[in-house]
Amino acid sequence: MIDERDKPEPREPREPLERRGRGVSPGLGIGPAYVVDRREVNIPHTLIERDDVEEELKRFRAALRGAQDQLEAVKGRLPQGEHRQILKAQQMMLRDPGLIQRTETWIREELIGAEWAVSKTVDEIRAKLAEVGDEYFQARQYDVAFLGERLITTLGGEEKDAINPPAGAVIVAHDLSPADTSQLSQAQVAGIITEEGGTTSHTAIIARALRIPAVVGVADLLSAVDTGDLVIVDGVHGLAHVRPTPEQIAALEVEVERYEAFELEIAKEHALPAQTDDGENIRLRANLALDDENEVARGFGAEGVGLYRTEFMFMNRDEAPSDEEHYRMAKALLQRWAPHPVRVRTFDLGSDKQCRSLDMGEAEHNPAMGLRSMRLALRRPEQFLAQLRGLLRAGLHGPLQIMLPLVSGLEELAAGRAAIDEARAQLRELGLPHADEVSVGVMIEVPSAAITADLMARHVDFMSIGTNDLIQYTLAIDRDNDEVNYLYEPLHPAILRLIKTVCDAGDRHRVPVSLCGEMAADPRYTWVLVGLGLRELSMQASAIPVVKNIIRASTLDEMEALAAAVLACDTAADARRLVIQEMGERFPEHLQHAAGVDIDIEDEPISSVGRVVRE
Ligand code: PEP
Ligand code: MG
């Protein structure tokens, strides 16, 4: 089942090769490849007799217990921390009623064997997750696939072997399971390269936590590498060099030395505030979506949670979460992050985030502009109120903030606030303890909301700019469409003006404004964002140390000067050139340190209109 490649047949020496993927854990590593290929799990396609149904169900339930025990055993071998959380999440998935009931239905009604039934259920769940455009949910499909694989091997009477790379190896795999990654350590592994996976995959999370350089999403890798081939993993630029030349190795050594010195330097600041050289405090908070990311985020020095995405709670199940689940989730977060605030976003489903636990209605012609986010919540009052009741109850345990997504105007905001009042009234009637005062705010993701931020500001406790969607809607660019991705431009004058408009409105009405889109995590934009007036940035936690170091080394004056210059640019190309020149000169290492940040300034004339698209 576990088909780790045997020693390859002797063959002609193969050419050096460079492959591009996505750098998800910065750092550089070199070592012999240790190839793990687990794409082929043998699934017996057996039909059973009606009389054998009970026996088959028993076999399935025994496999569920067996898989639980295996995960427990792996967990027991690990120290406390985020690795254990990841295995716990896997164990919870094994108890998921959606997975269990669906598999049992296949066995009972279609009379198919347990292995086949598991694989069909897993395929269904994966297909649903894959439909979701959001990278985070896409990544979860690999977790489900690993669980399915574990169950099928357990049904066949086997246990999944642990991988056992020699010290200093670079793991090369189609993908790694959470159990695999949680057994790795920095001492043992020089890097990880996988064909699958995204920024929020478990491989990425663990690699970042263990500070193992990692590149994911490298196409057709396994056919190009043999165990023992020398490999360089460049998690900064998202590159894999297979069988590097002596020149590439020499260049790497210089890079590694520089990189490690820089790492040490910024790590010293984890516990220090993100305060500019002239005393302005900037709050750096974490964007989270899963329990197991909490400890990682704390380790990177996040001062609370600036965006908790609750969508995952609704995925991969038949019923929407109950009040109690929302309550327990938010209470646990508050206890973990005390005394810092935790900002929970109510469910932002619809459009690219589909799930079966909410009735999503008819397929839409234009889902990004359809029944999604706040609009969907207002049409599904039962589930929305359940979430709000859970959150209001949790509000007793700490500084909880409720954030309403994709609000386009005052009417939607008023309707959202009315729902919060209604949930509160219901709790009062039920005699359930809850917070009377909870901070309520909106995400500013639609141009109409940004332009009317002064009106919004009168009715909220905070505003948070979601640039991922704001750019999509302002520039009319589907954020998941590769064909138009070249137009996705955070420094477009329209975007900069909208951010400034929101910051100014917040200022005038004394309402704090934060920014929680991907832009916040990109060190190229730190000066511009603070210079435009933002005093809170929320981002993937691993980006915090670099952004903090930039802030601590800068003055507000210089940030404001760059923001003003950028605001005066006619085109995004001019703004980009200016920002990269300034930031590249002042913070070359920071820009090189951030995974996946492009710092090439194209050879285009100043004030060029548009960009040449090369096929
Ligand atoms: C955003 O749109 O910027 C945002 C943070 O929300 P999401 O990426 O979850 O849509
Ligand atoms: Mg959004």
Side-chain angles (χ1 to χ4, degrees):
M1 212 72 30
I2 290 159
D3 175 19
E4 270 155 37
R5 293 185 165 194
D6 295 320
K7 281 257 178 272
E9 294 289 312
R11 58 162 104 185
E12 292 295 303
R14 297 206 280 169
E15 290 296 302
L17 195 80
E18 182 182 299
R19 285 275 162 90
R20 185 166 282 283
R22 185 186 292 205
V24 290
S25 179
L28 299 138
I30 184 167
Y34 175 83
V35 179
V36 182
D37 187 357
R38 288 182 168 159
R39 288 166 300 174
E40 296 300 320
V41 174
N42 184 23
I43 302 158
H45 287 185
T46 8
L47 288 171
I48 56 170
E49 300 293 328
R50 195 159 290 284
D51 287 349
D52 295 334
V53 164
E54 281 314 312
E55 202 45 47
E56 202 62 8
L57 289 174
K58 257 196 222 154
R59 220 163 64 78
F60 169 56
R61 288 170 199 152
L64 283 172
R65 285 193 299 276
Q68 282 284 2
D69 292 348
Q70 291 165 27
L71 289 172
E72 194 59 38
V74 178
K75 209 168 77 188
R77 291 198 293 270
L78 296 171
Q80 283 294 341
E82 69 281 354
H83 316 70
R84 282 190 178 213
Q85 292 299 332
I86 284 176
L87 289 162
K88 259 199 205 149
Q90 288 258 300
Q91 287 181 307
M92 268 171 64
M93 270 193 225
L94 274 177
R95 288 193 289 270
D96 180 67
L99 176 101
I100 298 172
Q101 283 159 16
R102 189 73 183 128
T103 308
E104 295 196 347
T105 305
W106 283 116
I107 298 173
R108 205 176 270 124
E109 291 175 13
E110 304 297 325
L111 301 180
I112 64 176
E115 286 91 340
W116 195 3
V118 168
S119 94
K120 275 171 146 333
T121 306
V122 164
D123 286 351
E124 283 177 352
I125 299 173
R126 288 192 65 178
K128 291 221 164 72
L129 289 170
E131 274 168 21
V132 182
D134 188 289
E135 190 205 324
Y136 177 80
F137 294 108
Q138 297 230 4
R140 299 284 80 76
Q141 58 163 311
Y142 306 124
D143 302 340
V144 177
F146 282 124
L147 266 195
E149 202 183 299
R150 183 177 288 281
L151 276 172
I152 291 165
T153 48
T154 311
L155 278 162
E158 291 180 42
E159 247 193 58
K160 273 169 71 94
D161 287 341
I163 55 171
N164 191 16
V170 172
I171 296 201
V172 174
H174 181 65
D175 199 5
L176 293 172
S177 76
D180 291 334
T181 36
S182 57
Q183 290 174 74
L184 302 179
S185 69
Q186 200 183 22
Q188 184 191 12
V189 175
I192 300 172
I193 315 174
T194 61
E195 292 184 328
E196 296 279 7
T199 318
T200 58
S201 62
H202 282 310
T203 303
I205 293 170
I206 293 273
R208 282 195 291 269
L210 297 176
R211 306 186 96 63
I212 299 173
V215 178
V216 302
V218 182
D220 300 326
L221 178 68
L222 293 186
S223 58
V225 187
D226 291 316
T227 290
D229 279 348
L230 195 63
V231 183
I232 292 177
V233 45
D234 179 346
V236 178
H237 304 98
L239 286 175
H241 301 279
V242 182
R243 299 175 290 273
T245 59
E247 293 75 34
Q248 283 172 325
I249 296 173
L252 174 89
E253 277 161 7
V254 175
E255 273 281 279
V256 166
E257 207 167 299
R258 180 199 63 72
Y259 188 87
E260 285 176 353
F262 180 71
E263 276 276 282
L264 274 178
E265 193 56 38
I266 58 172
K268 288 182 201 150
E269 294 183 348
H270 279 352
L272 299 176
Q275 191 179 63
T276 61
D277 201 29
D278 45 357
E280 189 74 25
N281 274 310
I282 314 296
R283 303 256 170 238
L284 300 184
R285 300 204 156 113
N287 288 357
L288 304 175
L290 246 204
D291 201 34
D292 53 33
E293 292 169 317
N294 278 291
E295 291 317 308
V296 184
R298 285 198 77 102
F300 283 118
E303 292 183 78
V305 180
L307 165 63
Y308 191 87
R309 293 180 162 105
T310 56
E311 293 77 60
F312 188 51
M313 297 178 73
F314 289 76
M315 309 299 290
N316 194 12
R317 55 192 290 168
D318 292 325
E319 300 286 328
S322 61
D323 302 29
E324 189 62 22
E325 279 176 75
H326 289 296
Y327 166 68
R328 272 189 270 123
M329 177 282 296
K331 179 182 167 190
L333 274 177
L334 286 161
Q335 287 175 337
R336 230 184 209 140
W337 284 93
H340 299 299
V342 171
R343 185 170 290 176
V344 177
R345 177 173 75 182
T346 58
F347 60 83
D348 184 24
L349 291 160
S351 186
D352 54 343
K353 297 171 196 158
Q354 296 286 319
C355 70
R356 65 177 185 277
S357 63
L358 277 194
D359 170 16
M360 308 296 274
E362 297 289 304
E364 297 172 295
H365 279 299
N366 202 345
M369 300 206 184
L371 194 60
R372 61 166 295 197
S373 312
M374 226 9 238
R375 301 155 190 190
L376 180 70
L378 294 171
R379 293 279 195 91
R380 303 284 179 273
E382 203 183 312
Q383 290 85 0
F384 190 35
L385 286 168
Q387 182 169 43
L388 293 172
R389 286 191 300 268
L391 295 180
L392 288 170
R393 285 171 56 204
L396 282 178
H397 298 279
L400 180 77
Q401 306 182 338
I402 297 179
M403 178 153 72
L404 304 172
L406 210 90
V407 169
S408 62
L410 277 185
E411 294 87 347
E412 269 174 355
L413 169 58
R417 292 210 73 126
I420 296 172
D421 290 342
E422 188 178 340
R424 197 180 280 116
Q426 289 173 345
L427 289 169
R428 215 172 283 137
E429 204 158 293
L430 290 166
L432 288 171
H434 59 278
D436 271 326
E437 293 298 324
V438 169
S439 157
V440 176
V442 274
M443 286 202 67
I444 303 288
E445 302 175 276
V446 188
S448 59
I451 294 165
T452 57
D454 56 331
L455 306 177
M456 297 273 188
R458 297 190 189 136
H459 305 276
V460 291
D461 300 307
F462 62 87
M463 298 188 282
S464 186
I465 306 173
T467 40
N468 306 343
D469 276 315
L470 187 62
I471 296 170
Q472 152 162 278
Y473 291 120
T474 307
L475 304 184
I477 297 156
D478 179 345
R479 62 194 255 191
D480 297 314
N481 183 340
D482 286 342
E483 293 295 323
V484 290
N485 203 261
Y486 71 100
L487 289 168
Y488 196 88
E489 182 49 83
L491 295 179
H492 191 289
I495 303 301
L496 297 171
R497 289 178 191 199
L498 288 179
I499 295 174
K500 175 94 171 73
T501 302
V502 181
C503 290
D504 289 350
D507 233 21
R508 272 201 305 282
H509 294 273
R510 298 184 178 285
V511 168
V513 177
S514 80
L515 189 144
C516 62
E518 290 305 309
M519 211 178 160
D522 190 324
R524 288 173 300 182
Y525 306 138
T526 306
W527 272 23
V528 173
L529 295 179
V530 174
L532 286 173
L534 286 151
R535 294 294 174 270
E536 182 186 320
L537 300 172
S538 190
M539 63 195 79
Q540 65 183 60
S542 60
I544 290 176
V546 170
V547 172
K548 186 191 281 186
N549 190 267
I550 290 179
I551 291 171
R552 289 178 58 83
S554 314
T555 64
L556 200 52
D557 272 356
E558 54 192 355
M559 297 193 197
E560 284 175 349
L562 180 64
V566 167
L567 260 180
C569 287
D570 291 352
T571 66
D574 289 354
R576 201 170 46 247
R577 180 182 294 276
L578 201 61
V579 165
I580 291 177
Q581 263 167 2
E582 182 95 20
M583 298 302 280
E585 203 164 289
R586 182 73 185 269
F587 300 105
E589 295 197 295
H590 299 69
L591 266 49
Q592 278 168 28
H593 190 87
V597 166
D598 180 7
I599 48 169
D600 292 336
I601 303 177
E602 300 94 308
D603 294 330
E604 57 196 332
I606 295 277
S607 288
S608 63
V609 176
R611 296 161 78 180
V612 179
V613 186
R614 293 180 193 86
E615 287 299 316

